[in-house]
Amino acid sequence: MQQSAPVRGSSRIRLDVDAAGRGDRIFEGATKAGAIAILALLAIIILLLLFESRNIFGHQGIGQFLFTTTWDPVFREFGVFAFIYGTVISSVIGLLLATPVAVGAAIYIVEYAPRWLRSPVSFTVELLAAIPSIIYGLWAVFILGPVMRFHIEPFLQTWFGPIPIVGNLFEGTPIGRDILTAGVILAIMILPTIMAISREVIMQVPDTQRDGMHALGATKWEMIQGAVIPYARAGIAGAAILGLARALGETMAVTMVIGNASTSITGSLFEPGYTMASAIANQFREADSQVYLSAIIAIALVLLVIAMIVNILARILIYSLVGKQSNSSRIG
Amino acid sequence: MVSRYEELYAAAITGKMDRRQVLKRAFALGLTIPAISALLAACEDDDSDDSEAAAEPDSDDSSDDAEEMVEEDDNEDEEGEDDLDDPDEVESDLDVEQADAFLEDDGWEYEGDDRIEGPYDGESDTLNGAGATFPAVLYSRWFHEYEQVTGVRVNYQSIGSGGGIASISDGTVDFGATDGPMNDEQLENASGGNIFHIPVAMGAVVPTYNIPDLDIAEPLRFTAETLAGIYLGEITEWNDPALVEDNPQLEDIDQSILVVHRSDGSGTTFIWVDYLAAVSEEWAENVGVGTSVNWPTGIGGNGNEGVAGEVVQNTYSIGYVELIYALQNDLGVGEVRNQAGNFILPSTSSVTAAAAAFADSIDPQLRDRIVNAPGEDSFPISGFTWLLAYENMDDEEKGIALTRMLWWCVTDAQRWNSGLGYARVPEEIVDLAKELIQDIKVDGEPIFPGE
Amino acid sequence: MSQETIEQTQTIQDDSLAAGMEVRNLSAYYGDFQAVKDITMPIERGKVTALIGPSGCGKSTFIRCLNRLHELTRGARVSGQAFLEDQDIYASNVDPVQVRRVIGMVFQKPNPFPMMSIYDNVIAGIKLNNARKSRGELDQIVEHSLRGAALWDEVKDKLDHSGASLSGGQQQRLCIARTIAVEPEVILMDEPCSALDPIATFKIEELIAELKERYTIALVTHNMQQAARVSDFTAFLLSGEERYGRLVEYGPTQQIFTNPQDEQTEAYITGKFG
């Protein structure tokens, strides 16, 4: 090494690796460790769930576990399909109800609201996101439930009940403890998340896009429709997925209004339902046999897998939306 | 809330607050009546200033930092037809009376000559236990008293019966506590060998309903057949002939029944379905007995308060809750016909009677359930709550401390039971429990220091 | 097909007697700050009028006033008049949306709509006019506009590609195509070449020369050579001590560059400041 160096006296200028590289390498190592730790954590969680749920799959087939609806701890028959159904349907209702409202509110805040109104509205909405779910649950039990039972559900039944197929959704006696009520409370709970992210995304839409549409003679609404929403839609989709993810895992508030019964899947939104998270929360503590306990842990595994599937689908969705846009970075 | 409760408890014990102040604050915090009872019992016994106007200033800050709880309280009160708006106002006097009435002790004292008194040389000065939440209020009262008597500190964590069983099974606690007996599988899985069930208190599960048309003073009468029918989903209308037969007032109630059950696994459910299974073959075959079952019908509420909330909110509904919970919340409670054919209104004494009726036939391991008890006055949906201890222990100091504590629990400690809304274990069963305690061994030798 | 198109192009060209503009005492504000003060000048029909001046002289603000885009900025407002032919676009009964349909604009940074195809970018403005047009008519408009923007040959085989997939210069010409597709009277260009390389710039300049056959053009540029090359008239704006921009001198481009009347103009075009 020395021989190749030109003879220039002392090494006033240090170019060797150690001079600046050490801190860099330490930093890199630290960040790498963090990244690995996260992956390891996920792996450990999955392995643990797999291990702890092994008994159930020895006890009965995975098909029976996933696709039957009888959950009977006494006779040791464990079918989670009713839980999966309740989870998915209530979350999707929540998503369908929340997204238009949240995006509308976000558009209002960014595009229409006078400047002085922006911060208070945004602040309030973010505050909503910080409310613990138990409080939403209490509110749902005492306010939302009765409103659903005495006003909204009879209304829906009167107007949509007679329509074939659609009417099936609104069959049964409204009791305000059902999948629809759970969906509504989920919508309210995920609304702030979707709105806050949508607002950020919409604010990121460059003004040049707005100008471009305006300059073609677009009205404000046409401008929003033609320039803002398409530009922001991948981000909005991401926001909705985050909301969906929260809805899938939400436990407390849903448990308080969904009825916690899985006797049958009739397709009606007025039937009491049961979600995976609720089932775990309700039954874990008093599970009194190995098989029962492992069945409950297997629910957690299924929930995790569904959450992962949703996330992957979300990535694919966002990627396909952004794909067309990806070259736009070339504009600079 | 727990920490506030503990603070308040400390204040009550040390006499920093008088009864009235404690009461006000406790109501502002939305504590349950058993908790309040425990607090009041902890107050120094100076009933003299009970009627006096006590110092006001405390009420302000108490309502302040308990805002959330008060709100919750209000809601419950609305349903309870109680119209309590401000816990600080006139109504609080009512609460005082209620609570005092509730506290009324029946003056029972343990009279045996084998009482636990004072510390004992060579016993461990701490014991750790965990388990059932239902008797937690009673236990915290007990263990506070026990420390005064013997100097042994008993830590109890109310983590649920399942948790209690798991904790004793893997040996992380000195004793467990449960509302439902351990099943054979659980007993086999216990790491330290055989486990004794020591019954220390009793509870009952009662049907509660909400039919606005009816006079609450005239309770509905249920039979084994009607309760099983309703919970099987076979009796679906309140004016079903089977119900009307015992309750003519239901004749005109042309409404369908909304069935409410517990959504969480619980000892309350266990006793309830244990009863249904005992009286209905169909139930035993199709649904069975467990801390949570595959309900044929109805909606689930979380905890006693969840079930009570659903019942109170939904007219023409029926649910089941712990006796003390029904008592303290003024819920409409039904009478249930026992084996002898009498309709019995649930009360702590009718529960004790149920257990006494079993004394002759009960399995000496005391794991038996006592639903559908014989006897004229027995309330048929009753159950024990147990403390769990290993038959063979390996730590002598712990062994002495634990057996003495268990002994105390089934003897002297019983005097607090009815004041807090739990039924006493009848003497006949206590005698059997004592035999079990004397059977607890360290190194193969019985360890209990008494005779 | 192409024969037909050319004929149609011819017709449109003949019909389109692009309107000129006349700005009178126009001032623009951002809140309390006055950005442009009291500008009076014509935008001659069928000609290219260049707006030059140092950075911050308000020339971009001014040009955004000419199609009422300025007022969309929060807190911004305009006073004065701007006539399109005989109509004041700031008159109270005028809908700014209609103004922008006849006075198009091309921006400093190419801003095609990235979520739309090239085809859809071109007809974006047509779609806004609610006119139900057949696929065939739309195809014609797209081809005609892209030819008009000298982009047709480069993109005719990938009309379904994203507008964002083009190079910067192509994107800017796409924006021009988009603008001319709605057949405006006036095209405002706000430094359209500042983000482009010299070759792309040259193409745009060539295009401007063609476009003035059919449209009235106002062009903001910081590049004096460009102004000299493509414009017929030049206005020199300057913000002095007062900080608001004002019109220093307006005249035929040749005169401004060879024989400026104002010494500030002379100083600027000879590179003494700015």
Side-chain angles (χ1 to χ4, degrees):
Chain A
M1 191 198 266
Q2 289 302 337
Q3 76 215 45
S4 66
V7 194
R8 279 280 291 277
S10 71
S11 53
R12 188 173 55 83
I13 302 168
R14 297 188 60 198
L15 298 173
D16 55 316
V17 179
D18 278 351
R22 186 177 296 135
D24 213 33
R25 281 202 312 277
I26 291 172
F27 182 72
E28 187 193 330
T31 52
K32 192 190 277 175
I36 290 171
I38 290 168
L39 287 176
L41 190 65
L42 181 67
I44 288 169
I45 288 172
I46 293 173
L47 285 176
L48 192 78
L49 289 177
L50 278 171
F51 180 75
E52 292 289 343
S53 60
R54 69 196 184 285
N55 283 332
I56 184 65
F57 298 117
H59 173 78
Q60 61 181 52
I62 192 163
Q64 189 194 347
F65 184 75
L66 285 179
F67 300 115
T68 64
T69 59
T70 303
W71 180 266
D72 191 332
V74 178
F75 293 98
R76 311 260 168 107
E77 278 177 52
F78 300 102
V80 292
F81 190 74
F83 303 156
I84 296 176
Y85 172 84
T87 305
V88 171
I89 300 296
S90 61
S91 298
V92 167
I93 291 171
L95 186 68
L96 292 180
L97 293 177
T99 307
V101 178
V103 174
I107 288 173
Y108 174 77
I109 287 175
V110 179
E111 303 289 344
Y112 290 95
R115 190 179 289 261
W116 61 267
L117 198 61
R118 270 192 184 191
S119 303
V121 171
S122 304
F123 179 76
T124 309
V125 170
E126 269 146 40
L127 208 63
L128 286 177
I131 293 177
S133 63
I134 182 79
I135 298 191
Y136 280 107
L138 285 172
W139 178 82
V141 164
F142 291 112
I143 313 286
L144 180 66
V147 168
M148 294 296 290
R149 179 185 182 194
F150 294 110
H151 303 290
I152 296 174
E153 293 181 355
F155 171 84
L156 290 171
Q157 204 158 41
T158 311
W159 289 95
F160 298 105
I163 305 172
I165 300 173
V166 176
N168 288 348
L169 293 175
F170 307 111
E171 267 176 7
T173 316
I175 50 171
R177 294 284 182 277
D178 48 39
I179 293 177
L180 183 63
T181 307
V184 172
I185 192 66
L186 281 174
I188 293 168
M189 293 177 72
I190 64 179
L191 193 103
T193 309
I194 301 180
M195 204 221 80
I197 299 171
S198 299
R199 191 200 55 205
E200 287 305 315
V201 168
I202 290 170
M203 286 207 299
Q204 296 303 314
V205 175
D207 277 339
T208 56
Q209 290 288 315
R210 295 189 178 85
D211 282 347
M213 201 47 99
H214 271 308
L216 291 172
T219 61
K220 185 134 195 174
W221 169 233
E222 287 169 335
M223 181 281 288
I224 290 166
Q225 218 182 357
V228 173
I229 291 176
Y231 199 94
R233 72 181 175 202
I236 290 172
I241 296 299
L242 265 180
L244 180 63
R246 181 172 179 196
L248 286 173
E250 175 51 45
T251 311
M252 213 48 237
V254 174
T255 304
M256 292 169 84
V257 294
I258 199 168
N260 297 304
S262 56
T263 37
S264 57
I265 295 177
T266 61
S268 169
L269 302 181
F270 290 177
E271 285 289 328
Y274 218 139
T275 68
M276 288 184 277
S278 298
I280 297 167
N282 275 328
Q283 300 184 24
F284 180 74
R285 213 174 59 175
E286 299 287 339
D288 55 6
S289 70
Q290 288 296 324
V291 175
Y292 188 10
L293 192 64
S294 77
I296 289 171
I297 290 165
I299 300 178
L301 188 63
V302 174
L303 181 56
L304 182 69
V305 168
I306 289 182
M308 284 165 82
I309 291 173
V310 165
N311 262 300
I312 290 166
L313 286 180
R315 296 227 160 242
I316 293 171
L317 175 73
I318 292 172
Y319 185 79
S320 71
L321 285 175
V322 178
K324 290 181 188 167
Q325 204 182 338
S326 59
N327 286 327
S328 65
S329 56
R330 205 189 289 168
I331 312 173
Chain B
M1 190 174 126
V2 172
S3 67
R4 288 216 186 99
Y5 171 75
E6 279 166 2
E7 271 170 34
L8 203 50
Y9 196 90
I13 293 282
T14 55
K16 269 189 205 155
M17 289 181 170
D18 63 26
R19 277 167 77 91
R20 201 182 165 87
Q21 285 172 310
V22 169
L23 253 184
K24 276 200 160 183
R25 198 169 171 98
F27 276 107
L29 285 171
L31 295 179
T32 58
I33 300 269
I36 292 170
S37 308
L39 285 170
L40 289 179
C43 280
E44 299 305 312
D45 297 37
D46 46 353
D47 290 1
S48 51
D49 55 6
D50 215 24
S51 51
E52 280 176 33
E56 260 335 289
D58 255 276
S59 57
D60 274 342
D61 54 7
S62 67
S63 60
D64 228 334
D65 58 26
E67 220 163 47
E68 265 172 31
M69 299 307 298
V70 171
E71 229 167 71
E72 204 180 320
D73 223 11
D74 279 350
N75 287 326
E76 273 175 25
D77 286 332
E78 269 163 46
E79 267 81 51
E81 304 164 14
D82 224 82
D83 279 340
L84 277 192
D85 283 321
D86 185 351
D88 282 349
E89 287 308 313
V90 196
E91 282 84 357
S92 64
D93 289 333
L94 258 181
D95 293 332
V96 175
E97 277 169 32
Q98 267 175 13
D100 278 346
F102 199 77
L103 261 179
E104 230 166 76
D105 221 299
D106 53 4
W108 186 91
E109 290 271 348
Y110 181 68
E111 285 170 355
D113 51 5
D114 48 1
R115 304 167 66 159
I116 301 290
E117 279 166 285
Y120 188 87
D121 277 348
E123 72 177 338
S124 164
D125 61 357
T126 54
L127 286 169
N128 297 309
T133 47
F134 156 64
V137 172
L138 179 66
Y139 291 170
S140 69
R141 175 82 178 125
W142 278 2
F143 297 146
H144 173 74
E145 293 295 334
Y146 191 64
E147 192 174 355
Q148 314 295 312
V149 175
T150 63
V152 175
R153 182 168 180 79
V154 185
N155 302 308
Y156 182 75
Q157 289 178 304
S158 61
I159 55 174
S161 295
I165 290 170
S167 301
I168 185 79
S169 295
D170 53 28
T172 50
V173 290
D174 302 317
F175 67 94
T178 182
D179 295 335
M182 292 172 71
N183 58 33
D184 294 341
E185 181 191 333
Q186 287 169 332
L187 282 171
E188 275 167 31
N189 285 334
S191 64
N194 189 34
I195 288 177
F196 282 154
H197 286 62
I198 313 293
V200 292
M202 301 187 60
V205 180
V206 300
T208 176
Y209 55 88
N210 174 4
I211 303 177
D213 321 54
L214 299 185
D215 181 0
I216 202 159
E218 207 181 317
L220 285 182
R221 303 175 139 201
F222 296 99
T223 64
E225 293 74 35
T226 53
L227 284 177
I230 290 170
Y231 272 81
L232 280 167
E234 287 165 358
I235 295 177
T236 57
E237 304 288 330
W238 279 111
N239 59 357
D240 189 282
L243 280 165
V244 173
E245 194 186 331
D246 299 313
N247 306 280
Q249 70 268 40
L250 284 176
E251 181 124 40
D252 299 324
I253 310 293
D254 185 15
Q255 297 281 348
S256 53
I257 303 174
L258 175 67
V259 175
V260 183
H261 53 73
R262 288 280 288 264
S263 62
D264 51 333
S266 104
T268 309
T269 293
F270 187 91
I271 294 174
W272 182 252
V273 297
D274 193 17
Y275 171 72
L276 294 179
V279 297
S280 158
E281 239 171 73
E282 193 182 347
W283 188 279
E285 274 171 23
N286 295 328
V287 185
V289 181
T291 51
S292 95
V293 299
N294 185 24
W295 295 99
T297 184
I299 62 169
N302 197 335
N304 280 311
E305 60 281 5
V307 170
E310 299 295 352
V311 170
V312 160
Q313 279 216 324
N314 294 296
T315 47
Y316 306 107
S317 59
I318 184 172
Y320 60 87
V321 293
E322 290 283 357
L323 169 63
I324 39 173
Y325 191 84
L327 289 178
Q328 76 195 25
N329 287 289
D330 265 341
L331 299 177
V333 168
E335 293 180 355
V336 181
R337 190 168 65 188
N338 64 15
Q339 253 195 50
N342 301 326
F343 286 98
I344 303 293
L345 193 65
S347 68
T348 53
S349 57
S350 63
V351 172
T352 304
F358 268 107
D360 295 339
S361 57
I362 201 165
D363 161 49
Q365 287 293 310
L366 298 180
R367 263 172 71 203
D368 276 1
R369 283 110 68 163
I370 54 164
V371 290
N372 204 24
E376 294 288 317
D377 305 320
S378 305
F379 183 73
I381 319 177
S382 313
F384 291 117
T385 183
W386 291 270
L387 292 180
L388 303 170
Y390 279 114
E391 179 180 357
N392 292 295
M393 300 180 65
D394 34 57
D395 184 325
E396 189 175 327
E397 290 183 0
K398 290 276 189 192
I400 296 171
L402 182 61
T403 49
R404 273 168 52 85
M405 184 209 83
L406 291 172
W407 192 276
W408 184 82
C409 288
V410 296
T411 56
D412 261 348
Q414 295 289 312
R415 69 182 156 114
W416 281 284
N417 285 26
S418 66
L420 294 177
Y422 302 86
R424 272 195 300 277
V425 179
E427 273 174 51
E428 300 89 327
I429 306 284
V430 167
D431 289 340
L432 295 170
K434 284 177 177 174
E435 285 175 26
L436 284 182
I437 296 169
Q438 285 170 328
D439 228 19
I440 293 176
K441 302 181 245 322
V442 173
D443 297 331
E445 291 296 320
I447 190 70
F448 180 65
E451 58 270 19
Chain C
M1 161 89 174
S2 71
Q3 185 60 37
E4 240 176 58
T5 318
I6 289 164
E7 266 174 30
Q8 200 182 6
T9 310
Q10 224 72 46
T11 337
I12 291 167
Q13 209 167 313
D14 291 341
D15 286 352
S16 91
L17 299 165
M21 294 185 77
E22 179 77 38
V23 181
R24 284 188 205 152
N25 305 108
L26 189 132
S27 298
Y29 307 82
Y30 293 98
D32 292 336
F33 171 67
Q34 183 166 19
V36 170
K37 186 173 184 184
D38 213 13
I39 290 182
T40 299
M41 64 176 276
I43 314 281
E44 294 291 345
R45 60 190 298 180
K47 304 287 185 201
V48 177
T49 303
L51 297 159
I52 60 169
S55 304
C57 71
K59 54 191 190 297
S60 284
T61 302
F62 172 68
I63 200 171
R64 290 169 66 88
C65 293
L66 298 184
N67 65 345
R68 298 193 62 171
L69 214 53
H70 174 68
E71 68 206 50
L72 292 175
T73 309
R74 269 167 213 278
R77 64 197 163 83
V78 175
S79 70
Q81 295 167 306
F83 287 90
L84 179 68
E85 298 282 79
D86 56 348
Q87 274 207 66
D88 178 10
I89 63 169
Y90 281 100
S92 60
N93 64 339
V94 167
D95 179 1
V97 169
Q98 297 303 328
V99 170
R100 290 175 210 131
R101 284 184 182 171
V102 290
I103 305 177
M105 186 156 182
V106 177
F107 298 85
Q108 186 168 1
K109 189 175 157 187
N111 58 350
F113 304 121
M115 307 308 288
M116 295 182 190
S117 66
I118 292 171
Y119 187 98
D120 288 336
N121 260 284
V122 176
I123 59 168
I126 307 278
K127 279 186 170 170
L128 297 175
N129 289 316
N130 289 331
R132 292 228 156 267
K133 294 212 189 301
S134 70
R135 182 76 195 182
E137 285 173 299
L138 287 177
D139 285 347
Q140 277 186 3
I141 291 171
V142 168
E143 182 177 346
H144 166 235
S145 306
L146 285 171
R147 282 187 190 282
L151 191 58
W152 175 251
D153 293 329
E154 291 160 65
V155 301
K156 63 183 175 195
D157 299 324
K158 50 177 185 178
L159 291 175
D160 56 338
H161 284 44
S162 163
S165 66
L166 301 173
S167 72
Q170 288 173 321
Q171 287 187 12
Q172 194 62 297
R173 278 179 282 147
L174 178 59
C175 291
I176 291 171
R178 177 174 82 187
T179 306
I180 61 182
V182 293
E183 295 175 16
E185 301 290 331
V186 181
I187 299 176
L188 309 175
M189 295 185 171
D190 185 4
E191 303 198 29
C193 305
S194 65
L196 305 180
D197 61 63
I199 293 167
T201 300
F202 175 69
K203 283 189 177 164
I204 301 280
E205 287 181 6
E206 269 189 336
L207 185 56
I208 290 171
E210 283 173 36
L211 289 174
K212 75 173 181 180
E213 306 282 315
R214 285 167 287 154
Y215 306 99
T216 301
I217 293 174
L219 171 73
V220 167
T221 178
H222 63 266
N223 178 337
M224 280 176 290
Q225 286 74 21
Q226 185 172 62
R229 283 194 297 268
V230 302
S231 72
D232 304 299
F233 296 91
T234 296
F236 174 56
L237 276 67
L238 187 62
S239 62
E241 296 292 303
E242 323 85 344
R243 291 182 52 237
Y244 51 74
R246 60 194 164 78
L247 181 64
V248 175
E249 188 170 356
Y250 169 85
T253 298
Q254 192 152 14
Q255 182 199 316
I256 294 283
F257 280 89
T258 56
N259 186 19
Q261 305 297 300
D262 191 294
E263 39 186 72
Q264 287 171 324
T265 313
E266 184 173 5
Y268 180 69
I269 61 175
T270 53
K272 292 211 174 107
F273 68 89

